[in-house]
Amino acid sequence: MASNKKYWKSVEELNENSSIVETLRNNEFVEQIPVDEFLGNKENLSTAGTTRRDFLKYVGFSTAAASLAACEGPVVKSIPYVVQPEEIIPGVADYYATTVADGFDFANILIKTREGRPIKVENNKLKGAVSGANARVHASVLSLYDSLRLKQPKIAGKDATWAEVTAKIKSSLDEANEKGGNVVVLTSTSASPSTDALLAELKAKYPTVKQVVYDAVSESNALDAFETVYGVRGFAGYDFSKADVIVSVGADFLGDWQGGGYDAGYAMGRVPKNGKMSKHIQMEANMSLAGANADKRIPLTVAQQKQALVDLYSAVVGGAASGLKNAEVTKAAQQLKAAGSKGVVVTGLDDLDAQLLVLAINAAISSEAFNPSATKLTRKGNVKEVAQLVADMKSGAVHTLIMNGVNPVYTLANAKDFTEGLKKVKLSVAFSLKEDETATLTTIAAAAPHYLESWGDVSIERGHYSIMQPTIRPLFDTKQFQEVLLSLLGNSTAYYDYLKGFAAAQLGGKSWNQAVHDGFAQTEVAPLEAASFDALASASKLAAAKASGMELVLYTKTGMGDGQQANNPWLQEFPDPITRVSWDNYVTVSKKDAEKLGFENWNVANGGLNGSYATLKVGNATLTKVPVVIQPGQAVGTVGLAFGYGKTAALKEEMQVGVNAYALYNNFNTVQNVTVTKDEGEHEFACVQLHKTLMGRGDIIKETTLEVFNTKDTEVWNPIPLVSLDHKETPSTEVDLWESFDRSVAHHFNLSIDLNACTGCGACVIACHAENNVPVVGKSEVRRSRDMHWLRIDRYYSSQDTFEGDVELKEETSGMMNSIETFRGMEDPAENPQVAFQPVMCQHCNHAPCETVCPVAATSHGREGQNHMAYNRCVGTRYCANNCPYKVRRFNWFLYNKNSEFDYHMNDDLGRMVLNPDVNVRSRGVMEKCSMCIQMTQASKLKAKREGRPVKDEEFQTACSAACSSGAMVFGDVNDKESKVAKLAEDARMYHLLEHVGTKPNVFYHVKVRNEK
């Protein structure tokens, strides 16, 4: 029987109208807690006599009390679905297949969406997909939410409607048709068959229309060479997994060479299997990703590289040598000849004869890695036609100019001529994402959608047809170039319907729905037949190559590419894999040339890197105040400079960094004769790696040669560190400071990192940013060593010619003074050092030193092996960071979210749309670090549970392992003995970082093996 008794605490409660009772019910603390009187007053804080223990108690109390007092937070109203879309389940991610094709980067990808918002890029891992998303592709999702995007079309700088825009363009086309005026459509390489078909229809309707394809960074000579021999404007396909000997002459094929995407095939051959691995020889001027990963790197000027190609040709085919007389080049030529069909040669030289000679060499040895029939179609630019267009514009011969996906006012070396010619064009139109340097000068700035808002098709290579589908409704009043073309043709069909009809003949039997689901379709293609050409004539021209003065070698950075995404803060803060510098481009100089020219680099008291300025003069063009980086491995007599920087239009002020290298890109040649002089002043770099060398510390990166790996016991090349136990040397794996838990029950996650397969590309770094809401802090904070990257890729140089030489030098030291002198010398890298890359994140130690020192138990260990962070418990003592031997914890010095001091994507509503709702955004004063993407492992388990099945091995992923196209990172459950990671954990090459410390990490590495034959 229920009781109707009423209990009360005081007589006051019997008064129904009492305001005191009502206040106490709603607020435990009637008066505000005076936290600010103490923490907000600098003098009181500095004179307080509290002990550390009392201070922590006070802080713990005050933050809890302040949280209670702040319970009356802002009300955010959620509007429920009236009719919930069938494909959207709130809280569950959806994935859509699409294709990125921005004229520079091309790849089949998946887009992760949450409640209709694209938030992350993933690799499309279906068989046959042209995958391998690089750092820029992973960052492209953030460019969708760029607050400086062009939000609607403009005519003469004023807002307009699309009806007005279309009418004005049509009127101009009709007028040009009547008067015989020339109409030019200037586009980037779209590789879109349906767009080409629409342009063909436009030419049929308006006979004076001409299309010119313009790539900001041209590879026209390679295209011309391939077209001369095989009749198709494209590049040969290469499968480096089929090569035993790879010789690269100036081709950064692990970077942006011919569109990139070669990491996976290359890594397959680089991991030692059955006692074999491929041999990679790199000849180059600038230190590149490919050069850094090579077994043998030969620094040569561009003129010497041309002669080296002649020697390679002579060794394989016959004929006179070049006169270079370089013993290492001669040895490489002999190894290539010995490899026969298992060899391959590639080149990135901007020279028609060099490109022809490489085609001849690969054909002569019948290279299995060389496949001209799998032609890549990712570049189609024609520099002669672009040059002719500029001349025609200046002469007033162009009536109407329609541009799509190009920014010639920024990217042309003769941008002044283009701008002058633009004034003589009667109507100019720029379809652009941004009101960039070109769009601000044209009659019409046509707001184009992001690729994630667009339909389209892409032919990345022959026989491969990819679909681009929108993953979000257009955010602004934008229109695709193809939609406007249909309107100009008087075709009322929507571009989606046109594309669907056009694609029917391209899908090779696949249905439209299946092709959209998969993201691509494949068809058989006929092999290409080679036409004969005079390779000996090309060889004789190259043999006569000579350098006159200093050579400038222009290149693209892995992070910035051609500069399209210069307003992307993820990419600006992305450290360059080689120099480890972010927020800048710079001229790279060899140590010898730097001494001759008076250039210096030095570190200041706070650890920041400073350097000299240079002035570069190429022809009539001059760049002043160019920062200088002294680059180990730079060929003497050459300097390097990256494209993509120095932009100003449609960029936030923080992003307007660097100098515009396109100004020196005369005649679309990446090699220029340059005069380099020292400029006044000193530049402050944001460099995240103070140490330049490994200094022989073999317990960080373990390395051996293939010969030792094959002939010696594991204890020789992968020794277990010894520690002292009861005054006896004991293997560190047998010593524990703590009792271990039983981790054989349920899942236990490990991450494997193979140093042989890791190329240092950094795609994992950007993927981690996207998945885990890692903040951008800006150049000033990075310079103070306050970068927030959860994952870093350390780059090490050898101080001797090889890391093996470092070890020998270290072992020969004896006595304190000799050791100090030796190690001081080892801090400087060799002139042409070996390079090693090592991704480092939280090692998720089973015996984690961070956990034992946290006074509030904010960091603790999970049953499944992850080292957790409870952010709302953390009071920011930073003891954990101090106690971490791997230095992977990051401290939020400031509030990076909704803070005008950090005006990046987290400071505006549009930019915050990219945030992952599964990961909370951390606040000021909190320590954060890699979580081993626990939200991803939980999602995999929940999905399998809903479907009533165990989790498949490949379903367990972290952001970094999913992004790694080379296969260097493998994540999984070691308790599943059939899993890939469990087998890798048993491999003889496996070791833990700083194993002698006894932290028992759940991240392990594989010894790097070099082919030194």
Side-chain angles (χ1 to χ4, degrees), residues 745-768:
V745 180
H747 304 296
H748 187 189
F749 295 116
N750 271 204
L751 176 65
S752 167
I753 302 174
D754 194 326
L755 299 181
N756 262 59
C758 177
T759 63
C761 71
C764 54
V765 175
I766 301 297
C768 177

PDB file of all heavy atoms in Angstrom, residues 745-768:
ATOM      1  N   VAL A 745      42.154 -12.757 -23.177  1.00  0.00           N
ATOM      2  CA  VAL A 745      40.700 -12.787 -23.282  1.00  0.00           C
ATOM      3  C   VAL A 745      40.229 -11.637 -24.167  1.00  0.00           C
ATOM      4  O   VAL A 745      40.736 -10.521 -24.064  1.00  0.00           O
ATOM      5  CB  VAL A 745      40.043 -12.683 -21.883  1.00  0.00           C
ATOM      6  CG1 VAL A 745      38.522 -12.706 -21.990  1.00  0.00           C
ATOM      7  CG2 VAL A 745      40.532 -13.798 -20.990  1.00  0.00           C
ATOM      8  N   ALA A 746      39.274 -11.900 -25.042  1.00  0.00           N
ATOM      9  CA  ALA A 746      38.678 -10.886 -25.939  1.00  0.00           C
ATOM     10  C   ALA A 746      39.752 -10.308 -26.865  1.00  0.00           C
ATOM     11  O   ALA A 746      40.711 -10.992 -27.228  1.00  0.00           O
ATOM     12  CB  ALA A 746      37.976  -9.802 -25.140  1.00  0.00           C
ATOM     13  N   HIS A 747      39.588  -9.051 -27.257  1.00  0.00           N
ATOM     14  CA  HIS A 747      40.502  -8.441 -28.223  1.00  0.00           C
ATOM     15  C   HIS A 747      41.723  -7.837 -27.525  1.00  0.00           C
ATOM     16  O   HIS A 747      41.639  -7.387 -26.390  1.00  0.00           O
ATOM     17  CB  HIS A 747      39.794  -7.328 -29.000  1.00  0.00           C
ATOM     18  CG  HIS A 747      38.548  -7.761 -29.700  1.00  0.00           C
ATOM     19  ND1 HIS A 747      38.543  -8.680 -30.715  1.00  0.00           N
ATOM     20  CD2 HIS A 747      37.254  -7.407 -29.517  1.00  0.00           C
ATOM     21  CE1 HIS A 747      37.307  -8.869 -31.136  1.00  0.00           C
ATOM     22  NE2 HIS A 747      36.506  -8.109 -30.410  1.00  0.00           N
ATOM     23  N   HIS A 748      42.825  -7.836 -28.235  1.00  0.00           N
ATOM     24  CA  HIS A 748      44.020  -7.101 -27.798  1.00  0.00           C
ATOM     25  C   HIS A 748      44.648  -6.497 -29.050  1.00  0.00           C
ATOM     26  O   HIS A 748      45.187  -7.215 -29.900  1.00  0.00           O
ATOM     27  CB  HIS A 748      44.997  -8.029 -27.084  1.00  0.00           C
ATOM     28  CG  HIS A 748      46.155  -7.291 -26.481  1.00  0.00           C
ATOM     29  ND1 HIS A 748      47.247  -7.919 -25.945  1.00  0.00           N
ATOM     30  CD2 HIS A 748      46.392  -5.966 -26.339  1.00  0.00           C
ATOM     31  CE1 HIS A 748      48.108  -7.024 -25.493  1.00  0.00           C
ATOM     32  NE2 HIS A 748      47.613  -5.828 -25.724  1.00  0.00           N
ATOM     33  N   PHE A 749      44.552  -5.174 -29.170  1.00  0.00           N
ATOM     34  CA  PHE A 749      44.922  -4.515 -30.413  1.00  0.00           C
ATOM     35  C   PHE A 749      46.400  -4.153 -30.465  1.00  0.00           C
ATOM     36  O   PHE A 749      46.972  -3.662 -29.489  1.00  0.00           O
ATOM     37  CB  PHE A 749      44.074  -3.254 -30.613  1.00  0.00           C
ATOM     38  CG  PHE A 749      42.611  -3.562 -30.794  1.00  0.00           C
ATOM     39  CD1 PHE A 749      41.671  -3.126 -29.866  1.00  0.00           C
ATOM     40  CD2 PHE A 749      42.175  -4.296 -31.878  1.00  0.00           C
ATOM     41  CE1 PHE A 749      40.328  -3.419 -30.026  1.00  0.00           C
ATOM     42  CE2 PHE A 749      40.831  -4.596 -32.048  1.00  0.00           C
ATOM     43  CZ  PHE A 749      39.904  -4.152 -31.111  1.00  0.00           C
ATOM     44  N   ASN A 750      46.988  -4.399 -31.642  1.00  0.00           N
ATOM     45  CA  ASN A 750      48.375  -4.025 -31.923  1.00  0.00           C
ATOM     46  C   ASN A 750      48.435  -3.313 -33.275  1.00  0.00           C
ATOM     47  O   ASN A 750      47.589  -3.546 -34.148  1.00  0.00           O
ATOM     48  CB  ASN A 750      49.282  -5.248 -31.969  1.00  0.00           C
ATOM     49  CG  ASN A 750      49.861  -5.627 -30.603  1.00  0.00           C
ATOM     50  OD1 ASN A 750      50.903  -6.262 -30.525  1.00  0.00           O
ATOM     51  ND2 ASN A 750      49.206  -5.243 -29.519  1.00  0.00           N
ATOM     52  N   LEU A 751      49.443  -2.478 -33.420  1.00  0.00           N
ATOM     53  CA  LEU A 751      49.700  -1.800 -34.688  1.00  0.00           C
ATOM     54  C   LEU A 751      51.110  -2.133 -35.134  1.00  0.00           C
ATOM     55  O   LEU A 751      52.067  -1.951 -34.376  1.00  0.00           O
ATOM     56  CB  LEU A 751      49.537  -0.286 -34.534  1.00  0.00           C
ATOM     57  CG  LEU A 751      49.867   0.575 -35.760  1.00  0.00           C
ATOM     58  CD1 LEU A 751      48.896   0.288 -36.909  1.00  0.00           C
ATOM     59  CD2 LEU A 751      49.825   2.068 -35.409  1.00  0.00           C
ATOM     60  N   SER A 752      51.226  -2.651 -36.359  1.00  0.00           N
ATOM     61  CA  SER A 752      52.528  -3.007 -36.922  1.00  0.00           C
ATOM     62  C   SER A 752      52.950  -1.945 -37.925  1.00  0.00           C
ATOM     63  O   SER A 752      52.142  -1.496 -38.740  1.00  0.00           O
ATOM     64  CB  SER A 752      52.441  -4.369 -37.615  1.00  0.00           C
ATOM     65  OG  SER A 752      53.579  -4.597 -38.416  1.00  0.00           O
ATOM     66  N   ILE A 753      54.214  -1.537 -37.864  1.00  0.00           N
ATOM     67  CA  ILE A 753      54.751  -0.545 -38.805  1.00  0.00           C
ATOM     68  C   ILE A 753      56.023  -1.105 -39.426  1.00  0.00           C
ATOM     69  O   ILE A 753      57.013  -1.353 -38.724  1.00  0.00           O
ATOM     70  CB  ILE A 753      55.039   0.799 -38.102  1.00  0.00           C
ATOM     71  CG1 ILE A 753      53.764   1.343 -37.450  1.00  0.00           C
ATOM     72  CG2 ILE A 753      55.611   1.811 -39.091  1.00  0.00           C
ATOM     73  CD1 ILE A 753      53.969   2.587 -36.619  1.00  0.00           C
ATOM     74  N   ASP A 754      55.996  -1.305 -40.730  1.00  0.00           N
ATOM     75  CA  ASP A 754      57.137  -1.864 -41.450  1.00  0.00           C
ATOM     76  C   ASP A 754      57.968  -0.720 -42.022  1.00  0.00           C
ATOM     77  O   ASP A 754      57.511   0.017 -42.901  1.00  0.00           O
ATOM     78  CB  ASP A 754      56.653  -2.779 -42.576  1.00  0.00           C
ATOM     79  CG  ASP A 754      57.774  -3.647 -43.134  1.00  0.00           C
ATOM     80  OD1 ASP A 754      58.924  -3.171 -43.182  1.00  0.00           O
ATOM     81  OD2 ASP A 754      57.507  -4.803 -43.522  1.00  0.00           O
ATOM     82  N   LEU A 755      59.171  -0.545 -41.532  1.00  0.00           N
ATOM     83  CA  LEU A 755      60.030   0.551 -41.984  1.00  0.00           C
ATOM     84  C   LEU A 755      60.486   0.368 -43.421  1.00  0.00           C
ATOM     85  O   LEU A 755      60.914   1.333 -44.063  1.00  0.00           O
ATOM     86  CB  LEU A 755      61.245   0.682 -41.051  1.00  0.00           C
ATOM     87  CG  LEU A 755      60.928   1.008 -39.588  1.00  0.00           C
ATOM     88  CD1 LEU A 755      62.208   1.128 -38.779  1.00  0.00           C
ATOM     89  CD2 LEU A 755      60.109   2.285 -39.470  1.00  0.00           C
ATOM     90  N   ASN A 756      60.402  -0.845 -43.955  1.00  0.00           N
ATOM     91  CA  ASN A 756      60.743  -1.057 -45.356  1.00  0.00           C
ATOM     92  C   ASN A 756      59.647  -0.544 -46.283  1.00  0.00           C
ATOM     93  O   ASN A 756      59.917  -0.096 -47.394  1.00  0.00           O
ATOM     94  CB  ASN A 756      60.985  -2.543 -45.640  1.00  0.00           C
ATOM     95  CG  ASN A 756      62.453  -2.890 -45.618  1.00  0.00           C
ATOM     96  OD1 ASN A 756      63.108  -2.682 -44.613  1.00  0.00           O
ATOM     97  ND2 ASN A 756      62.972  -3.407 -46.720  1.00  0.00           N
ATOM     98  N   ALA A 757      58.400  -0.636 -45.835  1.00  0.00           N
ATOM     99  CA  ALA A 757      57.275  -0.243 -46.681  1.00  0.00           C
ATOM    100  C   ALA A 757      56.899   1.223 -46.522  1.00  0.00           C
ATOM    101  O   ALA A 757      56.286   1.804 -47.410  1.00  0.00           O
ATOM    102  CB  ALA A 757      56.058  -1.119 -46.369  1.00  0.00           C
ATOM    103  N   CYS A 758      57.246   1.835 -45.389  1.00  0.00           N
ATOM    104  CA  CYS A 758      56.881   3.242 -45.160  1.00  0.00           C
ATOM    105  C   CYS A 758      57.726   4.148 -46.045  1.00  0.00           C
ATOM    106  O   CYS A 758      58.953   4.130 -45.979  1.00  0.00           O
ATOM    107  CB  CYS A 758      57.081   3.612 -43.689  1.00  0.00           C
ATOM    108  SG  CYS A 758      56.725   5.349 -43.353  1.00  0.00           S
ATOM    109  N   THR A 759      57.052   4.959 -46.855  1.00  0.00           N
ATOM    110  CA  THR A 759      57.756   5.882 -47.760  1.00  0.00           C
ATOM    111  C   THR A 759      57.838   7.289 -47.196  1.00  0.00           C
ATOM    112  O   THR A 759      58.455   8.164 -47.793  1.00  0.00           O
ATOM    113  CB  THR A 759      57.055   5.937 -49.130  1.00  0.00           C
ATOM    114  OG1 THR A 759      55.729   6.464 -48.957  1.00  0.00           O
ATOM    115  CG2 THR A 759      56.985   4.564 -49.774  1.00  0.00           C
ATOM    116  N   GLY A 760      57.160   7.545 -46.063  1.00  0.00           N
ATOM    117  CA  GLY A 760      57.175   8.874 -45.461  1.00  0.00           C
ATOM    118  C   GLY A 760      56.209   9.851 -46.091  1.00  0.00           C
ATOM    119  O   GLY A 760      56.306  11.056 -45.876  1.00  0.00           O
ATOM    120  N   CYS A 761      55.229   9.347 -46.864  1.00  0.00           N
ATOM    121  CA  CYS A 761      54.355  10.224 -47.659  1.00  0.00           C
ATOM    122  C   CYS A 761      53.464  11.123 -46.813  1.00  0.00           C
ATOM    123  O   CYS A 761      53.054  12.196 -47.252  1.00  0.00           O
ATOM    124  CB  CYS A 761      53.492   9.390 -48.599  1.00  0.00           C
ATOM    125  SG  CYS A 761      52.193   8.447 -47.760  1.00  0.00           S
ATOM    126  N   GLY A 762      53.100  10.698 -45.601  1.00  0.00           N
ATOM    127  CA  GLY A 762      52.325  11.543 -44.697  1.00  0.00           C
ATOM    128  C   GLY A 762      50.820  11.498 -44.874  1.00  0.00           C
ATOM    129  O   GLY A 762      50.110  12.268 -44.225  1.00  0.00           O
ATOM    130  N   ALA A 763      50.297  10.611 -45.717  1.00  0.00           N
ATOM    131  CA  ALA A 763      48.837  10.500 -45.862  1.00  0.00           C
ATOM    132  C   ALA A 763      48.200  10.154 -44.525  1.00  0.00           C
ATOM    133  O   ALA A 763      47.097  10.625 -44.206  1.00  0.00           O
ATOM    134  CB  ALA A 763      48.496   9.436 -46.899  1.00  0.00           C
ATOM    135  N   CYS A 764      48.905   9.344 -43.725  1.00  0.00           N
ATOM    136  CA  CYS A 764      48.384   8.936 -42.412  1.00  0.00           C
ATOM    137  C   CYS A 764      48.232  10.125 -41.474  1.00  0.00           C
ATOM    138  O   CYS A 764      47.319  10.165 -40.639  1.00  0.00           O
ATOM    139  CB  CYS A 764      49.303   7.890 -41.793  1.00  0.00           C
ATOM    140  SG  CYS A 764      51.038   8.395 -41.695  1.00  0.00           S
ATOM    141  N   VAL A 765      49.110  11.116 -41.604  1.00  0.00           N
ATOM    142  CA  VAL A 765      49.072  12.287 -40.722  1.00  0.00           C
ATOM    143  C   VAL A 765      47.787  13.072 -40.939  1.00  0.00           C
ATOM    144  O   VAL A 765      47.094  13.463 -39.995  1.00  0.00           O
ATOM    145  CB  VAL A 765      50.308  13.186 -40.961  1.00  0.00           C
ATOM    146  CG1 VAL A 765      50.222  14.469 -40.141  1.00  0.00           C
ATOM    147  CG2 VAL A 765      51.591  12.427 -40.628  1.00  0.00           C
ATOM    148  N   ILE A 766      47.435  13.298 -42.220  1.00  0.00           N
ATOM    149  CA  ILE A 766      46.217  14.055 -42.533  1.00  0.00           C
ATOM    150  C   ILE A 766      44.979  13.235 -42.190  1.00  0.00           C
ATOM    151  O   ILE A 766      43.978  13.767 -41.700  1.00  0.00           O
ATOM    152  CB  ILE A 766      46.206  14.468 -44.017  1.00  0.00           C
ATOM    153  CG1 ILE A 766      47.442  15.322 -44.352  1.00  0.00           C
ATOM    154  CG2 ILE A 766      44.937  15.235 -44.351  1.00  0.00           C
ATOM    155  CD1 ILE A 766      47.528  16.637 -43.617  1.00  0.00           C
ATOM    156  N   ALA A 767      45.010  11.929 -42.437  1.00  0.00           N
ATOM    157  CA  ALA A 767      43.872  11.066 -42.098  1.00  0.00           C
ATOM    158  C   ALA A 767      43.612  11.100 -40.600  1.00  0.00           C
ATOM    159  O   ALA A 767      42.451  11.125 -40.154  1.00  0.00           O
ATOM    160  CB  ALA A 767      44.135   9.638 -42.560  1.00  0.00           C
ATOM    161  N   CYS A 768      44.673  11.119 -39.805  1.00  0.00           N
ATOM    162  CA  CYS A 768      44.542  11.206 -38.355  1.00  0.00           C
ATOM    163  C   CYS A 768      43.920  12.534 -37.952  1.00  0.00           C
ATOM    164  O   CYS A 768      43.059  12.602 -37.064  1.00  0.00           O
ATOM    165  CB  CYS A 768      45.918  11.040 -37.708  1.00  0.00           C
ATOM    166  SG  CYS A 768      45.913  11.216 -35.911  1.00  0.00           S
TER     167      CYS A 768
END
